[in-house]
Structures are given as C-alpha cells and as structure tokens.
Amino acid sequence: MTDKAQASLLERYRRLAEISRNLASTVDLNILLDRITEAAAHVSGSEAASILLYDENQGQLYFESATNLDEPLMRGLIVPVEGSIAGWIVTNGKPVIIDDTQSDPRHFSQVGEATNVTTNSLLGVPLIAKDKVIGALEAINKINGAFTQDDQEILMDLGAQAAVAIENARLFQQSDLIAEMVHELRTPLASLRTASHLLLRKDVSQDQLAKVVNIIDNETTRLINMTTSFLDLARLESGRIPFNSELFDPTGLLQECIGMMKNKAAEKNLRLNLYIPNELPKIKADQDKIKQVVLNLISNAVNYNKPSGTITVSGHRQQNELVISVNDTGPGIRQADMVHLFDKFYRSQATEASVQGTGLGLAICKKIVEAHDGYIDVQSEIGIGTTFSVHLPIKDS
Ligand SMILES: Nc1ncnc2c1ncn2[C@@H]1O[C@H](COP(=O)(O)OP(=O)(O)OP(=O)(O)O)[C@@H](O)[C@H]1O
Ligand SMILES: [Mg+2]
C-alpha cells in the first residue's frame, strides 16, 4: 500500500470512530438510519448507500433509508429475499463485492427502475445484532475504481456498530411506548381512587353510593379496553405475532361485523347499513385482524356520529383491491386533525371531552392493514360526515 493510500485509510478509520460515537447517542430510528447511510457512502467512497431491514414476521426485506435517492419513493419498498443481492447477504450473513451488478443474476432491477438510479458496482454487508442478521447495508457505485477488501472491512465495522445502534433505537421506541401507556393509565386509576375514598366515608347516601359504583364500573371497563389496546399495539409493533393468513369470503366477515355492532348502533339510535353491490372476491388475510379493523372503524362511526345518524359499511372490488369503507354522518374531521389521526394516542380536541377512548384504535388499524400490504385512507367533510376506506390487495393464492 502506498503512503497516500495508507493515510487515506487511516483518515477513514478516524471518521468511522467519530461516526460510531455519534450513532451510539442517536435514539430516533429514522435519523439514525439516515446517518448510517450517509456514513456508509462516505467511508466506502461511494456515490450512495442504502439500508434494508429484515421483517421476520413478513419474511421480507424493506428499504428503510437511502442517500441520493428519492426517499418517499423508496421507503417501505419491498425487496424479495430470494432474487435480490440484499436477500443473499441476509440469508448468508456474509459481505459481498460485485463489480458489475447489472450482470449479476441476484440483482433485483425493480429498485433501479423505481428510482432511476443505475447500480454498477456494489458492496454490501450484513447488519448483525446479537448473532441475528437484521438487515443489509449496501454501498453503491464506487467513485474511484472498484471496491476493495479495505472498503469491505471498514463497512463491516460500520455495519456492526450500526446494527447495535438500530437495535437500541428499537428498544428505546418500545420503552417510549410503555411510558406513554403507563401515563394513560393514570387518569382512570385516579378516578378509581377517588371512588374508593368516597366509599370509605361513613356518611355516603344511597344515592351517592349508586353513582360511585357506576364510576367504578365505567372506569374498570375503560381500563380493560385500554390494556387490550395496549397489548394489541405492543404485539403489532414488536412484529413477533405471526399473522394467520387464510383465504376467506369478505361478505361473511362484513355481515358478522354488522351483527356485532347492531346493538351498539341501536342504543344510540343510529342506522347501520351494509352495502355490497357486487359479489366480492375472496381475499387472503388474517380474518380476525381484518375483523378488528372493521369493528374499530364502525365503533368510531358510532361514537362520532350525530343523533339519529347513519352508518354505511360497504365492500367493493376496485381493480386488484378489495375496498371496505365505513361511512358516517358525523361532524367530520378538521384538516389539522387529519394528519395525526393514525398517530398513537392522538384524539382530536373536538371530540375528546364527549367520547371516551384511548386514541389507539386507528393506530392499530393502520398497523394491521399495512402488515397486509394494504392502506387506509380517509375522506371527510365538516358537518357532513367521514368515510374511512381500507384497501387490501387481492392475491391469487
Ligand atoms: N368517524 C370519525 N368521525 C370523526 N372523528 C373521528 C372519526 N374516527 C376517528 N375520529 C377522531 O380520531 C381520533 C382517533 O381515533 P381512534 O379510533 O384512533 O381513537 P379513539 O376513538 O379516540 O380511541 P380508541 O382507542 O378507543 O379507539 C378520535 O379521538 C376522533 O377525534
Ligand atoms: Mg376509536
């Protein structure tokens, strides 16, 4: 190695040490991923870099972050484990250097097509945390010459630190969720304590007693609902609960949901209709989870409706999607609330006081639908009503 090359390598290791310190202190996963890709491109002397993380639950790789590329277009892009270089890295747990990606049979060309970036040379390393491969870090297009063993070593070093930092950030996210959950438990618990203090007093009238018991009943129901939502969300976020995918007829499922919510709607004097204009295609999905989504949406349509209003649940096919919509004649949702609707614990101020809830229903719906490769959208008009639509892909097998 020439003196110059040696100096440059030393300089790169010095940079790597600096980056490592920086990574260890970043707990925001998105910022962390961006920093890792930026560092990867830098220390390996390449045009761009990207991170793909492996989702055990789905058995798929997802693009999470990339430099020089159109982020919104890339993020969440699925890359097959079989038939991609990243998949090879993750399956084998080994690094790879490829001088001409276009002629490598493992190359997954759709990413290039989607992003207009041509990958020529590539250096990829596995991201390994606690002996488990959690993804792949790829540097793309060496600026001068070809990728070397030195490049590979330095990227392996960065990958090892990055993997630990990613795991830590994920754990931190989880502990954040726990903190928020515990915080939410405080209100009903405080009500229960007030109620029990009242019960301990000797001078409580029969009338007051009935009220206090009513409060206890309400608050315990609320606590039970909350803990169920917490558990659902925590399980979905951890990705550890496998989905039970089966082929089923969505019409039956929608009828069942209507049956389950009939009384709740009638109690509030609301009409609940089902509208299925044409025969629906069967879909492959986790029936219980999809039922949970539809029930959550109907429950919102009941809670946030006007007196004597209507709820219409409908199902139809739209190209290769099954669309399930829940429409209500409620107050509608303001634009400012729209962007936060699916955030954990978000409740709009407009309804917070009049309706009880935890603000997790829609966050859970979104997680479930996205885990099925689908999406939810919402249309709303103030004073007229709101429609939530769940789009699920129709798969052949
Ligand atoms: N159909 C609707 N019409 C008007 N506002 C709605 C509707 N659905 C949801 N919202 C608003 O979005 C917020 C979030 O809904 P989400 O279902 O996530 O939580 P929640 O209903 O408050 O509580 P829970 O966790 O018990 O479902 C609600 O608090 C409400 O302000
Ligand atoms: Mg809700």
Side-chain angles (χ1 to χ4, degrees), residues 225-355:
N225 291 342
M226 264 185 181
T227 45
T228 310
S229 295
F230 289 174
L231 267 181
D232 283 346
L233 190 70
R235 285 196 178 123
L236 285 165
E237 293 220 325
S238 78
R240 256 177 269 136
I241 303 295
F243 277 28
N244 194 1
S245 231
E246 53 190 336
L247 203 63
F248 67 91
D249 171 16
T251 306
L253 180 133
L254 293 180
Q255 283 162 343
E256 203 180 324
C257 292
I258 296 280
M260 288 169 77
M261 297 302 288
K262 221 168 46 199
N263 288 344
K264 209 178 155 203
E267 269 170 32
K268 295 206 163 187
N269 201 18
L270 301 167
R271 287 167 57 126
L272 177 57
N273 303 326
L274 178 62
Y275 178 63
I276 301 175
N278 295 307
E279 196 181 334
L280 296 179
K282 286 194 170 171
I283 57 163
K284 193 164 186 242
D286 186 317
Q287 250 195 100
D288 287 335
K289 296 272 186 314
I290 301 298
K291 199 192 291 174
Q292 191 180 358
V293 171
V294 178
L295 289 175
N296 265 335
L297 294 178
I298 302 179
S299 157
N300 280 349
V302 169
N303 287 335
Y304 312 105
N305 214 319
K306 67 169 187 209
S308 309
T310 304
I311 299 155
T312 308
V313 179
S314 59
H316 71 274
R317 185 188 184 134
Q318 191 175 299
Q319 279 130 14
N320 286 327
E321 285 176 355
L322 168 73
V323 185
I324 299 172
S325 299
V326 179
N327 166 271
D328 65 57
T329 52
I333 301 169
R334 291 180 312 146
Q335 201 54 42
D337 289 321
M338 281 287 198
V339 279
H340 298 294
L341 278 185
F342 298 95
D343 293 353
K344 281 175 276 203
F345 299 108
Y346 188 80
R347 309 201 64 217
S348 111
Q349 280 186 342
T351 59
E352 207 172 15
S354 52
V355 180

Side-chain angles (χ1 to χ4, degrees), residues 38-311:
E38 207 179 293
H42 184 86
V43 297
S44 63
S46 6
E47 279 177 15
S50 58
I51 289 183
L52 298 98
L53 292 182
Y54 181 61
D55 182 339
E56 264 185 320
N57 197 4
Q58 303 290 314
Q60 270 163 340
L61 274 163
Y62 289 87
F63 253 102
E64 293 291 342
S65 170
T67 58
N68 297 16
L69 299 174
D70 187 353
E71 282 268 340
L73 198 71
M74 297 288 294
R75 181 154 285 167
L77 202 74
I78 298 172
V79 175
V81 173
E82 272 172 46
S84 73
I85 294 169
W88 186 92
I89 297 169
V90 167
T91 312
N92 294 279
K94 286 191 194 130
V96 60
I97 292 179
I98 300 170
D99 292 328
D100 178 14
T101 320
Q102 299 302 321
S103 63
D104 192 287
R106 289 165 297 192
H107 181 54
F108 180 62
S109 59
Q110 263 163 281
V111 175
E113 282 159 20
T115 56
N116 262 334
V117 172
T118 311
T119 307
N120 298 316
S121 55
L122 183 148
L123 162 61
V125 301
L127 292 168
I128 302 172
K130 295 190 202 117
D131 293 331
K132 238 172 59 187
V133 184
I134 61 164
L137 176 61
E138 294 183 340
I140 299 147
N141 298 344
K142 177 86 178 169
I143 296 169
N144 285 315
F147 284 115
T148 63
Q149 283 302 316
D150 282 338
D151 293 332
Q152 181 174 309
E153 259 170 55
I154 202 163
L155 203 64
M156 282 291 278
D157 276 355
L158 175 64
Q161 324 236 11
V164 174
I166 290 170
E167 279 299 280
N168 283 342
R170 283 176 168 172
L171 283 173
F172 189 81
Q173 273 187 345
Q174 286 257 320
S175 64
D176 229 23
L177 180 67
I178 292 167
E180 268 178 289
M181 288 176 178
V182 172
H183 180 79
E184 292 294 319
L185 294 175
R186 293 173 71 99
T187 318
L189 285 174
S191 303
L192 283 175
R193 191 171 58 180
T194 313
S196 65
H197 280 175
L198 277 169
L199 285 183
L200 283 172
R201 283 166 52 165
K202 302 249 160 13
D203 55 345
V204 198
S205 70
Q206 207 53 37
D207 212 25
Q208 279 172 318
L209 196 65
K211 275 191 194 138
V212 173
V213 173
N214 209 357
I215 292 177
I216 294 179
D217 194 49
N218 270 337
E219 295 299 320
T220 41
T221 309
R222 187 162 150 199
L223 276 174
I224 291 169
N225 291 342
M226 264 185 181
T227 45
T228 310
S229 295
F230 289 174
L231 267 181
D232 283 346
L233 190 70
R235 285 196 178 123
L236 285 165
E237 293 220 325
S238 78
R240 256 177 269 136
I241 303 295
F243 277 28
N244 194 1
S245 231
E246 53 190 336
L247 203 63
F248 67 91
D249 171 16
T251 306
L253 180 133
L254 293 180
Q255 283 162 343
E256 203 180 324
C257 292
I258 296 280
M260 288 169 77
M261 297 302 288
K262 221 168 46 199
N263 288 344
K264 209 178 155 203
E267 269 170 32
K268 295 206 163 187
N269 201 18
L270 301 167
R271 287 167 57 126
L272 177 57
N273 303 326
L274 178 62
Y275 178 63
I276 301 175
N278 295 307
E279 196 181 334
L280 296 179
K282 286 194 170 171
I283 57 163
K284 193 164 186 242
D286 186 317
Q287 250 195 100
D288 287 335
K289 296 272 186 314
I290 301 298
K291 199 192 291 174
Q292 191 180 358
V293 171
V294 178
L295 289 175
N296 265 335
L297 294 178
I298 302 179
S299 157
N300 280 349
V302 169
N303 287 335
Y304 312 105
N305 214 319
K306 67 169 187 209
S308 309
T310 304
I311 299 155

